[in-house]
PDB file of all heavy atoms in Angstrom:
ATOM      1  N   VAL A1407       5.350   9.719   5.363  1.00  0.00           N
ATOM      2  CA  VAL A1407       5.666   9.455   6.764  1.00  0.00           C
ATOM      3  C   VAL A1407       5.011   8.204   7.215  1.00  0.00           C
ATOM      4  O   VAL A1407       5.582   7.345   7.996  1.00  0.00           O
ATOM      5  CB  VAL A1407       5.351  10.673   7.686  1.00  0.00           C
ATOM      6  CG1 VAL A1407       5.573  10.293   9.111  1.00  0.00           C
ATOM      7  CG2 VAL A1407       6.148  11.858   7.318  1.00  0.00           C
ATOM      8  N   PHE A1443       0.069  18.538   8.613  1.00  0.00           N
ATOM      9  CA  PHE A1443       1.104  18.129   9.549  1.00  0.00           C
ATOM     10  C   PHE A1443       2.089  17.172   9.006  1.00  0.00           C
ATOM     11  O   PHE A1443       3.264  17.254   9.186  1.00  0.00           O
ATOM     12  CB  PHE A1443       0.476  17.592  10.859  1.00  0.00           C
ATOM     13  CG  PHE A1443       1.428  16.949  11.785  1.00  0.00           C
ATOM     14  CD1 PHE A1443       2.332  17.762  12.514  1.00  0.00           C
ATOM     15  CD2 PHE A1443       1.506  15.595  11.945  1.00  0.00           C
ATOM     16  CE1 PHE A1443       3.277  17.292  13.403  1.00  0.00           C
ATOM     17  CE2 PHE A1443       2.443  15.063  12.872  1.00  0.00           C
ATOM     18  CZ  PHE A1443       3.305  15.854  13.543  1.00  0.00           C
ATOM     19  N   ALA A1447       6.132  17.351   8.646  1.00  0.00           N
ATOM     20  CA  ALA A1447       7.141  16.365   9.211  1.00  0.00           C
ATOM     21  C   ALA A1447       7.971  15.780   8.055  1.00  0.00           C
ATOM     22  O   ALA A1447       9.166  15.607   8.226  1.00  0.00           O
ATOM     23  CB  ALA A1447       6.386  15.242   9.853  1.00  0.00           C
ATOM     24  N   LEU A1452      11.285  13.843   9.298  1.00  0.00           N
ATOM     25  CA  LEU A1452      11.047  13.266  10.625  1.00  0.00           C
ATOM     26  C   LEU A1452      10.258  11.961  10.447  1.00  0.00           C
ATOM     27  O   LEU A1452       9.052  12.036  10.067  1.00  0.00           O
ATOM     28  CB  LEU A1452      10.284  14.214  11.507  1.00  0.00           C
ATOM     29  CG  LEU A1452      10.910  15.526  11.916  1.00  0.00           C
ATOM     30  CD1 LEU A1452       9.956  16.513  12.513  1.00  0.00           C
ATOM     31  CD2 LEU A1452      12.098  15.214  12.805  1.00  0.00           C
ATOM     32  N   PRO A1453      10.809  10.868  10.682  1.00  0.00           N
ATOM     33  CA  PRO A1453      10.086   9.572  10.656  1.00  0.00           C
ATOM     34  C   PRO A1453       9.035   9.560  11.735  1.00  0.00           C
ATOM     35  O   PRO A1453       9.137  10.169  12.775  1.00  0.00           O
ATOM     36  CB  PRO A1453      11.052   8.479  10.675  1.00  0.00           C
ATOM     37  CG  PRO A1453      12.177   9.153  11.473  1.00  0.00           C
ATOM     38  CD  PRO A1453      12.219  10.613  11.113  1.00  0.00           C
ATOM     39  N   LEU A1454       8.112   8.580  11.623  1.00  0.00           N
ATOM     40  CA  LEU A1454       7.013   8.477  12.611  1.00  0.00           C
ATOM     41  C   LEU A1454       7.517   8.213  14.023  1.00  0.00           C
ATOM     42  O   LEU A1454       7.071   8.857  14.949  1.00  0.00           O
ATOM     43  CB  LEU A1454       6.078   7.341  12.204  1.00  0.00           C
ATOM     44  CG  LEU A1454       4.697   7.418  12.731  1.00  0.00           C
ATOM     45  CD1 LEU A1454       3.930   8.634  12.305  1.00  0.00           C
ATOM     46  CD2 LEU A1454       3.853   6.120  12.373  1.00  0.00           C
ATOM     47  N   GLU A1455       8.531   7.447  14.104  1.00  0.00           N
ATOM     48  CA  GLU A1455       9.028   7.054  15.496  1.00  0.00           C
ATOM     49  C   GLU A1455       9.764   8.207  16.161  1.00  0.00           C
ATOM     50  O   GLU A1455       9.960   8.224  17.399  1.00  0.00           O
ATOM     51  CB  GLU A1455       9.942   5.828  15.400  1.00  0.00           C
ATOM     52  CG  GLU A1455      11.261   5.989  14.691  1.00  0.00           C
ATOM     53  CD  GLU A1455      11.171   5.738  13.233  1.00  0.00           C
ATOM     54  OE1 GLU A1455      10.004   5.532  12.736  1.00  0.00           O
ATOM     55  OE2 GLU A1455      12.180   5.639  12.551  1.00  0.00           O
ATOM     56  N   ARG A1456      10.156   9.213  15.402  1.00  0.00           N
ATOM     57  CA  ARG A1456      10.923  10.318  15.992  1.00  0.00           C
ATOM     58  C   ARG A1456      10.034  11.515  16.447  1.00  0.00           C
ATOM     59  O   ARG A1456      10.505  12.400  17.111  1.00  0.00           O
ATOM     60  CB  ARG A1456      11.961  10.925  15.035  1.00  0.00           C
ATOM     61  CG  ARG A1456      13.195  10.085  14.849  1.00  0.00           C
ATOM     62  CD  ARG A1456      14.325  10.875  14.242  1.00  0.00           C
ATOM     63  NE  ARG A1456      14.612  12.135  14.912  1.00  0.00           N
ATOM     64  CZ  ARG A1456      15.212  13.167  14.352  1.00  0.00           C
ATOM     65  NH1 ARG A1456      15.555  13.139  13.073  1.00  0.00           N
ATOM     66  NH2 ARG A1456      15.411  14.222  15.033  1.00  0.00           N
ATOM     67  N   LEU A1457       8.755  11.463  16.042  1.00  0.00           N
ATOM     68  CA  LEU A1457       7.889  12.524  16.333  1.00  0.00           C
ATOM     69  C   LEU A1457       7.565  12.404  17.903  1.00  0.00           C
ATOM     70  O   LEU A1457       7.151  11.418  18.386  1.00  0.00           O
ATOM     71  CB  LEU A1457       6.518  12.322  15.590  1.00  0.00           C
ATOM     72  CG  LEU A1457       6.652  12.598  14.133  1.00  0.00           C
ATOM     73  CD1 LEU A1457       5.358  12.346  13.404  1.00  0.00           C
ATOM     74  CD2 LEU A1457       7.047  14.106  13.850  1.00  0.00           C
ATOM     75  N   ASN A1458       7.863  13.524  18.617  1.00  0.00           N
ATOM     76  CA  ASN A1458       7.654  13.581  20.028  1.00  0.00           C
ATOM     77  C   ASN A1458       7.031  14.857  20.388  1.00  0.00           C
ATOM     78  O   ASN A1458       6.725  15.710  19.549  1.00  0.00           O
ATOM     79  CB  ASN A1458       9.026  13.435  20.746  1.00  0.00           C
ATOM     80  CG  ASN A1458       9.994  14.486  20.332  1.00  0.00           C
ATOM     81  OD1 ASN A1458       9.642  15.642  20.173  1.00  0.00           O
ATOM     82  ND2 ASN A1458      11.270  14.109  20.118  1.00  0.00           N
ATOM     83  N   PRO A1459       6.642  15.044  21.665  1.00  0.00           N
ATOM     84  CA  PRO A1459       5.941  16.219  22.096  1.00  0.00           C
ATOM     85  C   PRO A1459       6.668  17.579  21.746  1.00  0.00           C
ATOM     86  O   PRO A1459       5.942  18.550  21.513  1.00  0.00           O
ATOM     87  CB  PRO A1459       5.867  16.104  23.624  1.00  0.00           C
ATOM     88  CG  PRO A1459       5.774  14.607  23.836  1.00  0.00           C
ATOM     89  CD  PRO A1459       6.759  14.100  22.813  1.00  0.00           C
ATOM     90  N   PHE A1461       8.500  18.189  18.989  1.00  0.00           N
ATOM     91  CA  PHE A1461       8.169  18.459  17.583  1.00  0.00           C
ATOM     92  C   PHE A1461       6.767  18.960  17.373  1.00  0.00           C
ATOM     93  O   PHE A1461       6.418  19.939  16.588  1.00  0.00           O
ATOM     94  CB  PHE A1461       8.482  17.356  16.674  1.00  0.00           C
ATOM     95  CG  PHE A1461       9.948  17.097  16.515  1.00  0.00           C
ATOM     96  CD1 PHE A1461      10.503  15.813  16.873  1.00  0.00           C
ATOM     97  CD2 PHE A1461      10.804  17.975  16.052  1.00  0.00           C
ATOM     98  CE1 PHE A1461      11.838  15.511  16.727  1.00  0.00           C
ATOM     99  CE2 PHE A1461      12.136  17.739  15.771  1.00  0.00           C
ATOM    100  CZ  PHE A1461      12.668  16.525  16.183  1.00  0.00           C
ATOM    101  N   ILE A1462       5.825  18.292  18.096  1.00  0.00           N
ATOM    102  CA  ILE A1462       4.422  18.707  17.977  1.00  0.00           C
ATOM    103  C   ILE A1462       4.223  20.098  18.486  1.00  0.00           C
ATOM    104  O   ILE A1462       3.504  20.859  17.907  1.00  0.00           O
ATOM    105  CB  ILE A1462       3.480  17.747  18.756  1.00  0.00           C
ATOM    106  CG1 ILE A1462       3.778  16.257  18.356  1.00  0.00           C
ATOM    107  CG2 ILE A1462       1.985  18.061  18.559  1.00  0.00           C
ATOM    108  CD1 ILE A1462       3.343  15.935  16.916  1.00  0.00           C
ATOM    109  N   PHE A1489      -2.992   9.952  16.404  1.00  0.00           N
ATOM    110  CA  PHE A1489      -2.039   9.203  17.107  1.00  0.00           C
ATOM    111  C   PHE A1489      -2.716   8.237  18.127  1.00  0.00           C
ATOM    112  O   PHE A1489      -2.145   7.209  18.425  1.00  0.00           O
ATOM    113  CB  PHE A1489      -0.979  10.094  17.753  1.00  0.00           C
ATOM    114  CG  PHE A1489       0.090  10.506  16.761  1.00  0.00           C
ATOM    115  CD1 PHE A1489       0.114  11.775  16.172  1.00  0.00           C
ATOM    116  CD2 PHE A1489       1.089   9.590  16.540  1.00  0.00           C
ATOM    117  CE1 PHE A1489       1.130  12.099  15.283  1.00  0.00           C
ATOM    118  CE2 PHE A1489       2.135   9.955  15.620  1.00  0.00           C
ATOM    119  CZ  PHE A1489       2.129  11.218  14.974  1.00  0.00           C
ATOM    120  N   HIS A1500       3.266   5.305  21.728  1.00  0.00           N
ATOM    121  CA  HIS A1500       2.661   6.293  22.546  1.00  0.00           C
ATOM    122  C   HIS A1500       2.228   7.461  21.660  1.00  0.00           C
ATOM    123  O   HIS A1500       2.643   7.633  20.447  1.00  0.00           O
ATOM    124  CB  HIS A1500       3.648   6.828  23.619  1.00  0.00           C
ATOM    125  CG  HIS A1500       4.911   7.393  23.051  1.00  0.00           C
ATOM    126  ND1 HIS A1500       5.077   8.699  22.601  1.00  0.00           N
ATOM    127  CD2 HIS A1500       6.130   6.803  22.817  1.00  0.00           C
ATOM    128  CE1 HIS A1500       6.229   8.929  22.157  1.00  0.00           C
ATOM    129  NE2 HIS A1500       6.968   7.786  22.296  1.00  0.00           N
ATOM    130  N   PRO A1502       2.529  11.216  20.824  1.00  0.00           N
ATOM    131  CA  PRO A1502       3.340  12.407  21.050  1.00  0.00           C
ATOM    132  C   PRO A1502       2.638  13.698  21.251  1.00  0.00           C
ATOM    133  O   PRO A1502       3.146  14.675  21.751  1.00  0.00           O
ATOM    134  CB  PRO A1502       4.272  12.425  19.861  1.00  0.00           C
ATOM    135  CG  PRO A1502       3.375  11.819  18.751  1.00  0.00           C
ATOM    136  CD  PRO A1502       2.610  10.705  19.442  1.00  0.00           C
TER     137      PRO A1502
END
Side-chain angles (χ1 to χ4, degrees):
V1407 174
F1443 171 70
L1452 294 171
L1454 201 62
E1455 67 271 11
R1456 281 196 60 202
L1457 291 174
N1458 58 40
F1461 287 121
I1462 306 294
F1489 275 102
H1500 58 84

